[in-house]
Amino acid sequence: MKKYFCLILFLLTTITFSQKFEFDFVTEYVTTLPDNDRTTTTYSNSKNSNHLFLIYQNGNKRSGFLYDLEYKKIHEFKVTSSKENGKIMYAFKYKKSSKIKSSYFENSKNDKYEFTELENNSVFKTVLLKVTRDFNGQINTYLTEIKIQKSEANYFPNFRVAALHPWEKIKELDIFENGLVVESVQIRNGERVYPSKLVHSEEVELELIVPN
């Protein structure tokens, strides 16, 4: 009898001292790099842009990272997959949690972000993102041309974490208006490099549990 009581108590404790994260939209971006193509799947919450869950895929290896930007934490998950009716189905198992290093945010504290509209019609808007980084007395400028499809919610954070390295976790870098990025290209020394393209997006229902 005591064994059953302990089991119930353990389950209740696990449920009580845990945090639930909910996601309602998923995107998949493919970025062309010099040596390979990188696929990034991002789950987001359209009502809370502080919570983002990423699946990085390099070859056959997948890793899952849940960013809680409000509390500056990363929760890591083991990712497995299977195919059902030709569609990939994911399963996630919690592994560990860690704090995002304060130096990451320190490196970006003086950065400035500027969006300039290049083109606008009833369906799409194209903007030029200019990031000016002032770090250790060195000032560098980074340009990215971004094509955005107009939508009912702001999905820019999905794109940021998928394609705007090293600003993935900088929530201040957001266009702060509704839209879904469909493609982008970085401009380096006048050359257009590292193009990213949206290959899939849909509304979903995903819940992940993280123990406190």
Side-chain angles (χ1 to χ4, degrees):
M1 186 67 178
K2 290 183 180 178
K3 291 183 179 179
Y4 290 112
F5 174 76
C6 290
L7 178 60
I8 293 170
L9 180 61
F10 172 76
L11 291 174
L12 288 175
T13 303
T14 302
I15 293 171
T16 302
F17 296 102
S18 61
Q19 185 177 3
K20 180 172 69 173
F21 294 86
E22 298 179 336
F23 304 95
D24 57 19
F25 198 76
V26 64
T27 55
E28 186 174 306
Y29 288 94
V30 174
T31 302
T32 301
L33 302 173
D35 298 326
N36 66 313
D37 288 348
R38 183 184 67 205
T39 300
T40 307
T41 303
T42 307
Y43 292 83
S44 61
N45 184 320
S46 58
K47 297 180 178 62
N48 187 348
S49 60
N50 287 316
H51 298 161
L52 297 154
F53 180 60
L54 287 73
I55 302 174
Y56 289 115
Q57 180 174 336
N58 279 317
N60 294 322
K61 183 180 179 181
R62 294 190 183 94
S63 302
F65 299 93
L66 195 165
Y67 294 161
D68 183 348
L69 300 180
E70 182 178 2
Y71 293 101
K72 299 180 179 179
K73 287 186 175 182
I74 299 177
H75 307 290
E76 187 175 348
F77 285 77
K78 180 180 179 181
V79 181
T80 57
S81 64
S82 60
K83 260 192 175 179
E84 294 183 16
N85 299 322
K87 186 175 182 179
I88 296 178
M89 307 296 291
Y90 292 114
F92 312 106
K93 183 179 180 181
Y94 171 80
K95 292 179 65 177
K96 62 181 180 180
S97 298
S98 60
K99 290 283 290 184
I100 302 173
K101 292 181 179 179
S102 59
S103 59
Y104 174 82
F105 299 102
E106 284 291 315
N107 291 345
S108 299
K109 68 179 182 179
N110 296 320
D111 292 355
K112 292 181 173 57
Y113 316 111
E114 180 183 351
F115 291 93
T116 302
E117 186 175 297
L118 302 178
E119 188 177 348
N120 197 344
N121 58 45
S122 60
V123 181
F124 297 104
K125 179 168 75 170
T126 302
V127 300
L128 181 67
L129 167 62
K130 178 182 178 181
V131 179
T132 304
R133 165 154 282 195
D134 183 353
F135 179 62
N136 284 344
Q138 268 195 323
I139 298 178
N140 292 296
T141 300
Y142 303 88
L143 300 175
T144 306
E145 187 176 297
I146 304 169
K147 186 176 182 179
I148 303 170
Q149 180 177 318
K150 296 177 181 179
S151 65
E152 295 181 354
N154 180 10
Y155 301 115
F156 189 88
N158 293 59
F159 166 73
R160 185 189 73 232
V161 298
L164 287 182
H165 179 75
W167 296 277
E168 299 98 323
K169 299 179 280 291
I170 304 298
K171 59 184 180 180
E172 290 78 13
L173 176 48
D174 194 340
I175 202 167
F176 297 112
E177 62 182 48
N178 291 352
L180 174 64
V181 175
V182 293
E183 59 184 55
S184 72
V185 63
Q186 297 182 35
I187 302 171
R188 300 289 181 266
N189 300 318
E191 293 188 30
R192 300 168 72 85
V193 296
Y194 311 136
S196 292
K197 188 172 183 179
L198 178 72
V199 295
H200 179 74
S201 66
E202 66 174 323
E203 294 181 352
V204 295
E205 291 182 4
L206 174 65
E207 291 184 358
L208 293 176
I209 303 296
V210 173
N212 285 339

